Amino acid sequence: RLDFASGRFERFVPATPDRRPIVELLAHSDGRLWAATWGDGVFGIDRASGALTPYRPTSLGATGEQHDHASLLFEDSEGTLWIGTAGGLYSRDRATDSLVYHPHPGHPKIEPRFMNMTAMAEIEPGRYWVGTEIGPYLFSRDTGGFEPLASWLDRYRPDEWRKELQNTFAIHIDDGGRVWFSSDRRGIDIYDPAGDSYVNISADPDGRFGLADANVAALFVDRDGVYWIGTAAGLSRLDP
């Protein structure tokens, strides 16, 4: 933490055996800062006192260290905190201050390890898009069900899924209801749920008519509606 008045940094080091990298931060409406680590679960940080509260899935009974590898933090419109890990999706129950596991059933043709939760967007209260290592899924909080986007999978031959399907790194729902999915090999796919159709924005070597690179890990829309797209070869800007 940087104190601008003094120009000094203050370090917050979790009391864990190994110092794992912090890969995601979220300022929650509950006033706390949440930090996701790759190996030690997540921490809720009191920004006034600096006190850290650990939330580690394996300490709650989850089997497999992948559950402590967190890379996604998301707050929905009702203030629920969602945590995406390499072992699946969790939500925080504020009444009990505990984590609730939402198991992903996986896919019969895909190895279970390909279920890292990487991105999330809210369609309406209780319904979400969730990004995984094999593309996007629809998730219902009420039923706990994950539904694959069939037309997404249909674009690939089943025998090539393991090598062709992409990580869904970022998800954005625009004002027209279209869903922007970024991935590590196809750039951005803009999905229109009404017509179950796609428009792809991929790389252009010159950077004038496409993205700087097809590996897109970050997507941000500013207050003016301009899209800022982080790729493996630099930042691209799209003004629709």
Side-chain angles (χ1 to χ4, degrees), residues 22-170:
I22 294 175
V23 296
E24 181 82 339
L25 293 169
L26 173 73
H28 194 277
S29 59
D30 67 4
R32 285 196 286 182
L33 179 69
W34 289 83
T37 75
W38 194 249
D40 279 326
V42 299
F43 290 85
I45 305 170
D46 185 307
R47 287 187 275 183
S49 67
L52 280 72
T53 303
Y55 296 81
R56 192 167 184 171
T58 53
S59 67
L60 303 175
T63 302
E65 65 177 16
Q66 68 269 25
H67 290 268
D68 289 336
H69 289 71
S71 59
L72 165 68
L73 295 171
F74 177 77
E75 181 182 2
D76 67 19
S77 61
E78 297 176 335
T80 300
L81 174 69
W82 295 88
I83 302 164
T85 78
L89 185 66
Y90 289 82
S91 62
R92 174 175 170 259
D93 185 325
R94 286 193 287 181
T96 61
D97 194 26
S98 61
L99 300 184
V100 179
Y101 183 41
H102 305 274
H104 193 296
H107 194 282
K109 295 183 181 294
I110 303 294
E111 295 177 18
R113 69 183 181 86
F114 286 91
M115 284 303 149
N116 187 19
M117 303 290 143
T118 52
M120 197 166 185
E122 184 176 17
I123 303 168
E124 60 186 10
R127 295 184 66 238
Y128 311 87
W129 286 106
V130 178
T132 76
E133 290 188 64
I134 59 168
Y137 278 72
L138 282 166
F139 170 68
S140 169
R141 180 189 59 200
D142 295 334
T143 67
F146 286 85
E147 179 186 347
L149 184 53
S151 58
W152 182 280
L153 297 177
D154 288 344
R155 296 184 299 169
Y156 305 94
R157 290 170 41 192
D159 60 344
E160 295 182 344
W161 278 355
R162 291 183 182 177
K163 66 178 181 179
E164 294 297 331
L165 289 173
Q166 299 91 23
N167 288 285
T168 303
F169 283 139

